[in-house]
Amino acid sequence: MNICVFGIGYVGLCASVCLAQLGHNIVCIDKDNKKIENLKNNIVPIFEPKLNELILKNKNKLIFKTNLENNEKNFDIFIIATGTPTQKNGEVDLSAIYNVADEIIKNCKNNSIIINKSTVPIGFNNKLQDYINAKTNLKLDVISNPEFLRQGSAIDDFLNPERIIIGYKSDFALKKVLKMYKALNLKDEQIITTDLNSAEMIKYASNSFLALKISFINEISKLCEKTNADIEYVKKGLTSDSRIGKKFLNCGIGFGGSCFPKDTKALVNIANNYDIELKTIKATIEANEAQVDYFINKIINFYKGNIKDKTFILLGLSFKPNTNDLREAPSIKIIDKLTDLNANIIAYDPKAKYDKVKQVNKINDAFNDADCLIIATEWEEFKNIDVELLKKLKDKVIFDGRNIFINRNLKKYGLKYYCIGKNEQQN
Ligand code: UDX
Protein backbone atom coordinates (compact mmCIF):
# COMPACT_ATOMS: atom_id res chain seq x y z
CA MET A 1 0.00 0.00 0.00
CA ASN A 2 1.08 3.62 -0.46
CA ILE A 3 1.14 5.33 2.90
CA CYS A 4 1.96 8.89 3.87
CA VAL A 5 2.99 9.52 7.48
CA PHE A 6 2.86 13.03 8.97
CA GLY A 7 5.01 13.80 12.02
CA ILE A 8 8.34 11.97 12.06
CA GLY A 9 8.90 11.98 15.80
CA TYR A 10 9.23 8.81 17.85
CA VAL A 11 5.94 7.24 16.88
CA GLY A 12 5.93 8.47 13.28
CA LEU A 13 9.46 7.35 12.49
CA CYS A 14 9.19 3.94 14.13
CA ALA A 15 5.78 3.32 12.55
CA SER A 16 7.05 4.38 9.10
CA VAL A 17 10.05 2.12 9.27
CA CYS A 18 8.05 -0.84 10.56
CA LEU A 19 5.33 -0.38 7.93
CA ALA A 20 8.04 -0.33 5.26
CA GLN A 21 9.35 -3.55 6.78
CA LEU A 22 5.83 -4.98 6.38
CA GLY A 23 6.12 -4.26 2.65
CA HIS A 24 4.43 -0.86 2.24
CA ASN A 25 5.78 2.22 0.47
CA ILE A 26 6.04 5.12 2.86
CA VAL A 27 6.40 8.85 2.38
CA CYS A 28 7.45 10.48 5.65
CA ILE A 29 6.59 14.16 6.12
CA ASP A 30 7.93 16.44 8.80
CA LYS A 31 8.15 20.24 8.87
CA ASP A 32 11.62 20.06 10.43
CA ASN A 33 13.88 20.53 7.44
CA LYS A 34 17.05 19.58 9.30
CA LYS A 35 15.54 16.33 10.55
CA ILE A 36 14.42 15.40 7.04
CA GLU A 37 17.80 16.25 5.50
CA ASN A 38 19.51 14.14 8.14
CA LEU A 39 17.19 11.19 7.57
CA LYS A 40 17.86 11.39 3.83
CA ASN A 41 21.53 10.96 4.73
CA ASN A 42 20.81 8.11 7.15
CA ILE A 43 21.38 10.30 10.19
CA VAL A 44 18.70 9.20 12.65
CA PRO A 45 17.57 11.82 15.19
CA ILE A 46 16.93 9.37 18.05
CA PHE A 47 18.63 6.37 19.55
CA GLU A 48 16.33 3.38 19.35
CA PRO A 49 17.53 -0.24 19.14
CA LYS A 50 17.13 -1.78 15.63
CA LEU A 51 15.89 1.48 14.09
CA ASN A 52 18.99 2.32 12.05
CA GLU A 53 19.30 -1.18 10.60
CA LEU A 54 15.66 -1.21 9.60
CA ILE A 55 15.90 2.21 7.92
CA LEU A 56 18.86 1.03 5.85
CA LYS A 57 17.19 -2.26 5.01
CA ASN A 58 14.03 -0.53 3.78
CA LYS A 59 15.62 2.47 2.16
CA ASN A 60 13.93 1.91 -1.18
CA LYS A 61 10.51 1.99 0.51
CA LEU A 62 11.04 5.18 2.54
CA ILE A 63 10.97 8.72 1.19
CA PHE A 64 11.60 11.68 3.52
CA LYS A 65 10.10 15.09 2.70
CA THR A 66 9.03 18.35 4.36
CA ASN A 67 5.70 18.56 2.53
CA LEU A 68 3.65 16.94 -0.17
CA GLU A 69 3.84 18.36 -3.65
CA ASN A 70 0.53 19.23 -5.26
CA ASN A 71 -1.17 16.49 -7.19
CA GLU A 72 0.71 13.78 -5.36
CA LYS A 73 -2.53 11.90 -4.88
CA ASN A 74 -1.75 8.24 -4.88
CA PHE A 75 -1.96 7.44 -1.18
CA ASP A 76 -4.25 4.72 0.18
CA ILE A 77 -3.61 5.73 3.75
CA PHE A 78 -2.50 8.84 5.62
CA ILE A 79 -1.16 8.44 9.13
CA ILE A 80 -1.09 11.31 11.61
CA ALA A 81 1.61 11.03 14.26
CA THR A 82 2.23 14.64 15.14
CA GLY A 83 2.79 15.75 18.73
CA THR A 84 -0.10 16.72 20.96
CA PRO A 85 1.67 18.74 23.67
CA THR A 86 -0.09 20.17 26.69
CA GLN A 87 -0.62 23.93 26.65
CA LYS A 88 -0.12 26.19 29.68
CA ASN A 89 -3.85 26.08 30.47
CA GLY A 90 -3.76 22.27 30.56
CA GLU A 91 -5.58 21.81 27.23
CA VAL A 92 -4.09 19.54 24.57
CA ASP A 93 -2.68 21.47 21.60
CA LEU A 94 -4.29 19.97 18.50
CA SER A 95 -3.23 22.60 15.98
CA ALA A 96 -0.63 20.36 14.30
CA ILE A 97 -3.33 17.78 13.53
CA TYR A 98 -5.61 20.36 11.91
CA ASN A 99 -2.68 21.61 9.80
CA VAL A 100 -1.97 18.07 8.67
CA ALA A 101 -5.66 17.49 7.92
CA ASP A 102 -5.63 20.56 5.64
CA GLU A 103 -2.59 19.22 3.81
CA ILE A 104 -4.21 15.81 3.43
CA ILE A 105 -7.41 17.30 2.03
CA LYS A 106 -5.36 19.04 -0.67
CA ASN A 107 -3.54 15.87 -1.61
CA CYS A 108 -5.94 12.99 -1.27
CA LYS A 109 -8.00 10.91 -3.63
CA ASN A 110 -11.49 9.63 -2.96
CA ASN A 111 -11.71 6.74 -0.47
CA SER A 112 -8.36 7.31 1.21
CA ILE A 113 -8.35 6.89 4.96
CA ILE A 114 -6.70 8.84 7.77
CA ILE A 115 -5.30 6.86 10.66
CA ASN A 116 -4.74 9.03 13.70
CA LYS A 117 -2.01 7.67 15.97
CA SER A 118 -1.58 10.84 18.00
CA THR A 119 -2.99 10.81 21.51
CA VAL A 120 -6.03 13.07 21.45
CA PRO A 121 -8.86 13.99 23.85
CA ILE A 122 -11.88 11.73 23.79
CA GLY A 123 -14.23 12.85 21.03
CA PHE A 124 -11.55 14.56 18.94
CA ASN A 125 -11.47 12.09 16.03
CA ASN A 126 -15.20 12.53 15.55
CA LYS A 127 -14.63 16.28 15.42
CA LEU A 128 -11.79 15.76 12.96
CA GLN A 129 -14.12 13.73 10.75
CA ASP A 130 -16.68 16.57 10.81
CA TYR A 131 -13.95 19.12 10.06
CA ILE A 132 -12.82 17.13 7.04
CA ASN A 133 -16.36 16.48 5.80
CA ALA A 134 -17.07 20.20 5.93
CA LYS A 135 -14.02 20.95 3.79
CA THR A 136 -14.20 18.33 1.05
CA ASN A 137 -16.73 16.28 -0.84
CA LEU A 138 -14.31 13.37 -1.12
CA LYS A 139 -14.89 10.34 1.10
CA LEU A 140 -12.08 10.44 3.64
CA ASP A 141 -12.60 8.25 6.73
CA VAL A 142 -10.88 8.86 10.05
CA ILE A 143 -9.61 5.93 12.12
CA SER A 144 -8.35 6.13 15.70
CA ASN A 145 -5.41 3.78 16.10
CA PRO A 146 -3.48 4.76 19.23
CA GLU A 147 0.11 3.64 19.43
CA PHE A 148 1.44 1.73 22.43
CA LEU A 149 5.09 1.31 21.49
CA ARG A 150 7.62 1.93 24.24
CA GLN A 151 10.84 3.80 23.72
CA GLY A 152 13.76 1.44 23.90
CA SER A 153 11.75 -1.44 22.43
CA ALA A 154 9.70 0.50 19.89
CA ILE A 155 10.50 -1.64 16.85
CA ASP A 156 9.74 -4.94 18.58
CA ASP A 157 6.60 -3.45 20.12
CA PHE A 158 5.33 -2.31 16.73
CA LEU A 159 6.11 -5.54 14.93
CA ASN A 160 4.92 -7.83 17.75
CA PRO A 161 2.15 -5.95 19.50
CA GLU A 162 0.13 -7.60 22.27
CA ARG A 163 -2.90 -6.00 20.71
CA ILE A 164 -3.85 -3.23 18.34
CA ILE A 165 -6.77 -0.87 18.96
CA ILE A 166 -8.79 0.30 15.99
CA GLY A 167 -11.56 2.84 16.53
CA TYR A 168 -13.64 3.20 13.39
CA LYS A 169 -16.91 4.36 11.91
CA SER A 170 -16.81 2.96 8.40
CA ASP A 171 -16.39 -0.74 7.58
CA PHE A 172 -14.59 0.22 4.41
CA ALA A 173 -11.93 2.08 6.41
CA LEU A 174 -11.62 -0.77 8.90
CA LYS A 175 -10.88 -3.21 6.08
CA LYS A 176 -8.11 -0.96 4.83
CA VAL A 177 -6.46 -0.71 8.24
CA LEU A 178 -6.62 -4.48 8.66
CA LYS A 179 -4.98 -4.86 5.26
CA MET A 180 -2.20 -2.50 6.33
CA TYR A 181 -1.49 -4.66 9.40
CA LYS A 182 -2.08 -8.01 7.66
CA ALA A 183 1.60 -8.96 7.54
CA LEU A 184 1.76 -8.83 11.35
CA ASN A 185 -0.29 -12.06 11.30
CA LEU A 186 -2.24 -11.09 14.37
CA LYS A 187 -4.80 -13.43 15.89
CA ASP A 188 -8.40 -12.19 15.92
CA GLU A 189 -8.33 -11.64 19.67
CA GLN A 190 -5.33 -9.31 19.28
CA ILE A 191 -7.34 -6.92 17.15
CA ILE A 192 -9.67 -4.82 19.29
CA THR A 193 -12.14 -2.84 17.23
CA THR A 194 -14.18 -0.09 18.87
CA ASP A 195 -15.89 3.20 18.18
CA LEU A 196 -13.65 6.26 17.84
CA ASN A 197 -14.24 7.61 21.35
CA SER A 198 -13.49 4.32 23.08
CA ALA A 199 -10.21 3.92 21.21
CA GLU A 200 -9.12 7.36 22.37
CA MET A 201 -10.15 6.54 25.93
CA ILE A 202 -8.25 3.23 25.86
CA LYS A 203 -5.00 5.07 25.18
CA TYR A 204 -5.42 7.51 28.08
CA ALA A 205 -6.78 4.87 30.42
CA SER A 206 -3.93 2.43 29.64
CA ASN A 207 -1.22 5.00 30.21
CA SER A 208 -2.88 6.31 33.35
CA PHE A 209 -3.36 2.83 34.79
CA LEU A 210 0.28 1.92 34.16
CA ALA A 211 1.35 5.21 35.74
CA LEU A 212 -0.92 4.43 38.70
CA LYS A 213 0.82 1.07 39.21
CA ILE A 214 4.20 2.80 39.36
CA SER A 215 3.04 5.48 41.79
CA PHE A 216 1.38 2.82 43.91
CA ILE A 217 4.51 0.70 44.26
CA ASN A 218 6.63 3.79 44.85
CA GLU A 219 4.43 4.78 47.79
CA ILE A 220 4.51 1.26 49.19
CA SER A 221 8.29 1.25 48.85
CA LYS A 222 8.57 4.39 50.97
CA LEU A 223 6.50 2.77 53.67
CA CYS A 224 8.65 -0.37 53.48
CA GLU A 225 11.73 1.67 54.31
CA LYS A 226 10.10 3.15 57.41
CA THR A 227 8.59 -0.11 58.64
CA ASN A 228 11.59 -2.40 58.03
CA ALA A 229 9.69 -4.33 55.40
CA ASP A 230 11.67 -5.32 52.32
CA ILE A 231 10.27 -4.24 48.95
CA GLU A 232 11.83 -7.28 47.25
CA TYR A 233 9.76 -9.69 49.35
CA VAL A 234 6.73 -7.45 49.18
CA LYS A 235 6.94 -7.31 45.38
CA LYS A 236 7.33 -11.08 45.16
CA GLY A 237 4.27 -11.66 47.29
CA LEU A 238 2.23 -9.00 45.62
CA THR A 239 2.97 -9.85 42.01
CA SER A 240 2.46 -13.59 42.35
CA ASP A 241 -1.25 -12.88 42.68
CA SER A 242 -2.35 -13.16 39.06
CA ARG A 243 -5.03 -10.52 39.64
CA ILE A 244 -2.22 -8.06 40.27
CA GLY A 245 0.27 -9.34 37.70
CA LYS A 246 4.05 -9.42 37.51
CA LYS A 247 4.75 -6.45 35.29
CA PHE A 248 5.20 -2.75 35.84
CA LEU A 249 5.58 -2.78 39.59
CA ASN A 250 9.21 -1.79 39.84
CA CYS A 251 9.74 0.99 42.31
CA GLY A 252 12.20 3.74 41.44
CA ILE A 253 12.42 7.51 41.25
CA GLY A 254 9.21 7.97 39.32
CA PHE A 255 8.03 7.71 35.76
CA GLY A 256 9.19 10.10 33.07
CA GLY A 257 9.18 10.19 29.30
CA SER A 258 6.93 11.73 26.73
CA CYS A 259 3.71 9.87 27.56
CA PHE A 260 2.87 9.12 31.18
CA PRO A 261 3.49 12.60 32.62
CA LYS A 262 1.71 14.26 29.69
CA ASP A 263 -1.20 11.86 29.35
CA THR A 264 -2.06 11.61 33.03
CA LYS A 265 -2.24 15.40 33.25
CA ALA A 266 -4.26 15.61 30.05
CA LEU A 267 -6.78 13.07 31.30
CA VAL A 268 -7.28 14.96 34.55
CA ASN A 269 -7.85 18.10 32.53
CA ILE A 270 -10.26 16.39 30.13
CA ALA A 271 -12.25 15.08 33.10
CA ASN A 272 -12.28 18.54 34.70
CA ASN A 273 -14.00 19.84 31.58
CA TYR A 274 -16.83 17.42 32.40
CA ASP A 275 -16.80 18.39 36.10
CA ILE A 276 -15.34 15.05 37.07
CA GLU A 277 -12.44 14.84 39.46
CA LEU A 278 -10.15 11.90 38.69
CA LYS A 279 -8.85 11.45 42.21
CA THR A 280 -6.72 8.36 41.54
CA ILE A 281 -4.97 9.90 38.55
CA LYS A 282 -4.39 13.19 40.38
CA ALA A 283 -2.84 11.22 43.21
CA THR A 284 -0.74 9.28 40.70
CA ILE A 285 0.74 12.52 39.39
CA GLU A 286 1.34 13.93 42.88
CA ALA A 287 2.94 10.71 44.09
CA ASN A 288 5.21 10.71 41.06
CA GLU A 289 6.37 14.24 41.67
CA ALA A 290 6.92 13.48 45.34
CA GLN A 291 8.95 10.35 44.57
CA VAL A 292 11.94 12.07 43.02
CA ASP A 293 11.85 14.77 45.73
CA TYR A 294 11.90 12.04 48.36
CA PHE A 295 14.99 10.53 46.74
CA ILE A 296 16.74 13.90 46.47
CA ASN A 297 15.96 14.63 50.13
CA LYS A 298 17.49 11.31 51.13
CA ILE A 299 20.76 12.47 49.59
CA ILE A 300 20.58 15.94 51.13
CA ASN A 301 19.65 14.56 54.56
CA PHE A 302 22.60 12.17 54.47
CA TYR A 303 24.82 15.23 54.19
CA LYS A 304 22.80 17.04 56.87
CA GLY A 305 21.74 19.67 54.36
CA ASN A 306 25.23 20.67 53.31
CA ILE A 307 26.32 19.38 49.93
CA LYS A 308 28.22 22.50 48.91
CA ASP A 309 31.30 21.53 46.84
CA LYS A 310 30.54 17.82 47.09
CA THR A 311 31.03 15.96 43.81
CA PHE A 312 28.32 13.54 42.77
CA ILE A 313 28.56 11.03 39.96
CA LEU A 314 25.20 10.72 38.25
CA LEU A 315 24.83 7.52 36.24
CA GLY A 316 22.00 7.73 33.73
CA LEU A 317 20.35 10.80 32.27
CA SER A 318 17.66 9.36 29.97
CA PHE A 319 14.21 8.77 31.49
CA LYS A 320 14.74 5.03 31.05
CA PRO A 321 17.37 2.74 29.52
CA ASN A 322 17.82 2.16 25.77
CA THR A 323 16.76 5.61 24.75
CA ASN A 324 18.52 8.98 24.56
CA ASP A 325 15.31 10.81 25.48
CA LEU A 326 15.49 13.26 28.37
CA ARG A 327 11.87 14.38 28.40
CA GLU A 328 10.58 14.48 31.99
CA ALA A 329 13.61 12.49 33.12
CA PRO A 330 14.00 12.44 36.92
CA SER A 331 17.75 12.99 36.40
CA ILE A 332 17.07 16.59 35.39
CA LYS A 333 15.29 17.36 38.63
CA ILE A 334 18.15 15.77 40.57
CA ILE A 335 20.71 17.85 38.67
CA ASP A 336 18.76 21.08 39.17
CA LYS A 337 18.26 20.58 42.88
CA LEU A 338 21.81 19.49 43.71
CA THR A 339 23.43 22.23 41.63
CA ASP A 340 21.14 24.80 43.29
CA LEU A 341 22.75 23.71 46.53
CA ASN A 342 26.21 24.24 44.99
CA ALA A 343 27.18 20.63 44.52
CA ASN A 344 29.21 19.47 41.49
CA ILE A 345 27.84 16.80 39.23
CA ILE A 346 29.66 14.56 36.79
CA ALA A 347 27.21 12.66 34.63
CA TYR A 348 27.58 9.63 32.44
CA ASP A 349 24.99 8.18 30.09
CA PRO A 350 25.61 5.70 27.27
CA LYS A 351 23.40 7.62 24.81
CA ALA A 352 21.76 10.75 26.22
CA LYS A 353 23.44 14.16 26.13
CA TYR A 354 22.48 17.06 28.40
CA ASP A 355 24.27 20.37 27.94
CA LYS A 356 23.54 21.71 31.44
CA VAL A 357 25.77 19.17 33.16
CA LYS A 358 29.41 18.12 32.93
CA GLN A 359 29.46 14.77 31.18
CA VAL A 360 32.22 12.18 30.72
CA ASN A 361 32.44 9.74 27.81
CA LYS A 362 33.72 6.82 29.83
CA ILE A 363 32.19 5.57 33.03
CA ASN A 364 35.60 5.10 34.69
CA ASP A 365 36.51 8.75 34.18
CA ALA A 366 33.65 9.80 36.44
CA PHE A 367 35.21 8.09 39.46
CA ASN A 368 38.49 9.97 39.56
CA ASP A 369 37.55 12.58 42.11
CA ALA A 370 34.02 11.98 43.35
CA ASP A 371 32.40 11.79 46.79
CA CYS A 372 29.15 9.98 46.13
CA LEU A 373 27.36 7.97 43.43
CA ILE A 374 23.75 8.39 42.30
CA ILE A 375 22.00 5.97 39.92
CA ALA A 376 19.13 7.56 38.00
CA THR A 377 18.61 5.12 35.10
CA GLU A 378 19.02 1.37 35.05
CA TRP A 379 21.22 1.01 31.95
CA GLU A 380 22.51 -2.54 31.62
CA GLU A 381 26.17 -1.47 31.62
CA PHE A 382 25.84 0.03 35.13
CA LYS A 383 24.72 -3.20 36.72
CA ASN A 384 28.07 -4.96 36.88
CA ILE A 385 30.23 -1.96 37.55
CA ASP A 386 33.53 -2.99 39.17
CA VAL A 387 33.46 -2.75 42.95
CA GLU A 388 37.00 -1.33 42.86
CA LEU A 389 35.56 1.73 41.14
CA LEU A 390 32.82 2.05 43.75
CA LYS A 391 35.42 1.88 46.51
CA LYS A 392 37.07 5.00 45.05
CA LEU A 393 34.10 7.12 46.21
CA LYS A 394 35.44 9.40 48.94
CA ASP A 395 32.32 9.29 51.11
CA LYS A 396 31.73 5.58 50.40
CA VAL A 397 28.06 6.14 49.72
CA ILE A 398 25.69 5.19 46.90
CA PHE A 399 22.11 6.33 46.27
CA ASP A 400 20.52 3.88 43.86
CA GLY A 401 17.24 5.20 42.45
CA ARG A 402 16.67 2.05 40.39
CA ASN A 403 17.73 -0.72 42.77
CA ILE A 404 20.31 -2.07 40.35
CA PHE A 405 22.82 -3.03 43.08
CA ILE A 406 20.24 -4.42 45.45
CA ASN A 407 21.70 -7.95 45.43
CA ARG A 408 25.38 -7.02 45.46
CA ASN A 409 25.84 -6.79 49.21
CA LEU A 410 27.94 -3.64 48.98
CA LYS A 411 28.07 -3.31 52.75
CA LYS A 412 30.85 -5.86 52.93
CA TYR A 413 33.09 -3.46 51.00
CA GLY A 414 32.48 -0.71 53.50
CA LEU A 415 30.01 1.09 51.27
CA LYS A 416 26.76 2.64 52.47
CA TYR A 417 23.98 1.71 50.08
CA TYR A 418 20.65 3.52 49.89
CA CYS A 419 18.09 2.11 47.48
CA ILE A 420 14.30 2.32 47.15
CA GLY A 421 12.06 0.27 49.41
CA LYS A 422 14.70 -1.14 51.75
CA ASN A 423 16.34 0.92 54.44
CA GLU A 424 20.10 1.17 54.86
CA GLN A 425 20.24 -1.27 57.77
CA GLN A 426 18.56 -3.97 55.71
CA ASN A 427 21.20 -3.97 52.98
C1 UDX B 1 4.85 4.36 27.70
C2 UDX B 1 3.88 3.18 27.50
O1 UDX B 1 4.43 2.00 28.08
C3 UDX B 1 3.60 2.97 26.03
O2 UDX B 1 2.65 1.93 25.86
C4 UDX B 1 3.07 4.28 25.46
O3 UDX B 1 2.86 4.16 24.07
C5 UDX B 1 4.04 5.42 25.71
O4 UDX B 1 4.30 5.53 27.10
P1 UDX B 1 7.50 4.72 27.44
O5 UDX B 1 7.26 6.08 28.00
O6 UDX B 1 8.35 4.59 26.23
O7 UDX B 1 6.09 4.02 27.08
O8 UDX B 1 8.22 3.83 28.58
P2 UDX B 1 7.81 2.76 29.70
O9 UDX B 1 8.69 1.60 29.57
O10 UDX B 1 6.36 2.51 29.73
O11 UDX B 1 8.27 3.55 31.03
C6 UDX B 1 7.71 4.80 31.40
C7 UDX B 1 8.31 5.28 32.70
O12 UDX B 1 7.89 4.48 33.78
C8 UDX B 1 9.82 5.27 32.73
O13 UDX B 1 10.29 6.46 33.34
C9 UDX B 1 10.15 4.08 33.61
O14 UDX B 1 11.38 4.21 34.28
C10 UDX B 1 8.99 4.06 34.57
N1 UDX B 1 8.70 2.73 35.12
C11 UDX B 1 8.22 1.75 34.33
C12 UDX B 1 8.87 2.49 36.48
O15 UDX B 1 9.30 3.37 37.23
N2 UDX B 1 8.55 1.25 36.98
C13 UDX B 1 8.07 0.26 36.20
O16 UDX B 1 7.79 -0.84 36.73
C14 UDX B 1 7.91 0.50 34.84
Side-chain angles (χ1 to χ4, degrees):
M1 295 172 107
N2 291 322
I3 301 173
C4 176
V5 180
F6 285 90
I8 306 305
Y10 231 103
V11 169
L13 182 57
C14 294
S16 299
V17 172
C18 291
L19 288 167
Q21 173 70 13
L22 296 182
H24 303 298
N25 296 311
I26 317 292
V27 172
C28 305
I29 310 276
D30 198 289
K31 288 267 165 282
D32 184 339
N33 197 23
K34 194 170 165 219
K35 188 194 275 181
I36 292 297
E37 282 310 309
N38 280 339
L39 281 164
K40 280 184 190 164
N41 296 311
N42 302 323
I43 302 169
V44 182
I46 47 174
F47 169 73
E48 181 63 41
K50 301 187 184 174
L51 181 60
N52 293 31
E53 295 98 281
L54 232 54
I55 291 181
L56 288 177
K57 196 173 154 208
N58 293 289
K59 228 173 157 27
N60 59 342
K61 289 186 237 143
L62 288 163
I63 295 173
F64 296 101
K65 288 180 171 197
T66 51
N67 58 287
L68 282 178
E69 283 119 53
N70 281 339
N71 293 320
E72 196 175 353
K73 296 193 175 178
N74 61 341
F75 296 107
D76 306 295
I77 294 179
F78 294 91
I79 294 180
I80 303 180
T82 50
T84 49
T86 315
Q87 303 176 93
K88 279 210 177 78
N89 62 3
E91 299 285 317
V92 179
D93 182 354
L94 298 160
S95 55
I97 300 189
Y98 283 114
N99 292 340
V100 168
D102 290 339
E103 203 166 337
I104 293 175
I105 291 166
K106 276 192 259 155
N107 292 287
C108 68
K109 58 183 182 188
N110 201 25
N111 286 328
S112 357
I113 67 165
I114 299 181
I115 299 179
N116 188 10
K117 283 200 169 290
S118 300
T119 305
V120 293
I122 299 100
F124 174 76
N125 281 309
N126 266 310
K127 277 195 198 144
L128 184 64
Q129 183 72 67
D130 293 343
Y131 176 85
I132 291 167
N133 291 348
K135 285 203 157 185
T136 176
N137 290 325
L138 297 175
K139 184 167 144 32
L140 194 53
D141 290 323
V142 174
I143 289 278
S144 170
N145 175 216
E147 188 49 69
F148 294 94
L149 55 80
R150 291 162 299 174
Q151 296 182 220
S153 55
I155 301 296
D156 287 338
D157 286 349
F158 193 99
L159 294 174
N160 305 295
E162 266 186 350
R163 62 12 176 152
I164 54 170
I165 308 291
I166 307 174
Y168 74 105
K169 252 182 160 172
S170 114
D171 291 336
F172 168 82
L174 174 64
K175 276 194 194 126
K176 269 200 168 180
V177 190
L178 293 176
K179 190 172 165 201
M180 181 182 89
Y181 283 125
K182 194 159 192 314
L184 289 177
N185 291 320
L186 298 175
K187 298 191 188 95
D188 286 350
E189 60 269 25
Q190 288 176 284
I191 302 170
I192 320 280
T193 54
T194 74
D195 57 274
L196 292 175
N197 290 25
S198 303
E200 294 156 350
M201 180 65 99
I202 289 169
K203 171 72 185 193
Y204 277 114
S206 300
N207 276 356
S208 297
F209 189 72
L210 291 168
L212 173 70
K213 285 184 86 173
I214 300 168
S215 282
F216 171 81
I217 199 71
N218 281 341
E219 291 207 315
I220 295 295
S221 74
K222 282 198 232 182
L223 194 55
C224 282
E225 287 175 24
K226 299 288 178 216
T227 54
N228 286 336
D230 180 332
I231 192 69
E232 292 286 280
Y233 291 132
V234 174
K235 197 177 128 193
K236 202 169 170 192
L238 192 67
T239 58
S240 53
D241 182 332
S242 63
R243 292 170 303 176
I244 296 173
K246 296 218 179 291
K247 291 183 185 163
F248 243 78
L249 281 164
N250 293 321
C251 57
I253 43 178
F255 55 79
S258 62
C259 290
F260 291 166
K262 173 173 79 71
D263 293 349
T264 45
K265 285 180 195 138
L267 191 59
V268 167
N269 188 67
I270 291 166
N272 272 344
N273 293 339
Y274 293 96
D275 287 329
I276 289 178
E277 190 190 5
L278 294 184
K279 290 180 199 273
T280 51
I281 313 299
K282 274 171 102 173
T284 298
I285 298 165
E286 275 172 36
N288 193 53
E289 281 160 7
Q291 187 67 12
V292 66
D293 292 337
Y294 171 75
F295 180 69
I296 295 168
N297 284 336
K298 241 190 222 183
I299 301 169
I300 296 172
N301 291 342
F302 174 85
Y303 285 105
K304 303 200 167 50
N306 185 9
I307 57 166
K308 187 169 178 289
D309 298 329
K310 285 281 171 195
T311 298
F312 293 90
I313 304 171
L314 181 70
L315 291 186
L317 291 169
S318 54
F319 81 95
K320 67 174 206 174
N322 299 321
T323 176
N324 59 348
D325 200 333
L326 288 173
R327 281 177 288 180
E328 303 279 342
S331 65
I332 296 188
K333 217 167 174 188
I334 298 171
I335 292 168
D336 286 350
K337 184 75 196 185
L338 299 188
T339 44
D340 271 359
L341 295 171
N342 297 312
N344 307 311
I345 298 183
I346 304 170
Y348 171 80
D349 189 286
K351 295 287 172 192
K353 296 272 167 283
Y354 184 44
D355 52 15
K356 287 199 184 143
V357 72
K358 183 177 170 203
Q359 231 172 304
V360 289
N361 293 326
K362 286 201 203 104
I363 210 167
N364 293 30
D365 294 347
F367 284 82
N368 288 339
D369 194 26
D371 298 294
C372 168
L373 171 65
I374 301 170
I375 314 280
T377 317
E378 66 277 33
W379 282 92
E380 208 48 46
E381 73 169 87
F382 303 161
K383 292 184 182 163
N384 297 316
I385 201 166
D386 190 347
V387 78
E388 291 307 316
L389 271 183
L390 301 178
K391 281 176 12 194
K392 283 171 99 178
L393 296 166
K394 287 188 213 150
D395 292 336
K396 306 274 177 270
V397 59
I398 297 167
F399 292 91
D400 181 355
R402 300 291 182 179
N403 288 0
I404 62 172
F405 297 154
I406 207 160
N407 296 318
R408 285 188 62 176
N409 192 8
L410 294 174
K411 218 177 197 170
K412 74 171 185 232
Y413 304 105
L415 292 158
K416 288 186 226 44
Y417 177 64
Y418 292 87
C419 61
I420 310 285
K422 247 178 162 185
N423 60 35
E424 217 267 314
Q425 290 79 42
Q426 289 172 286
N427 282 306

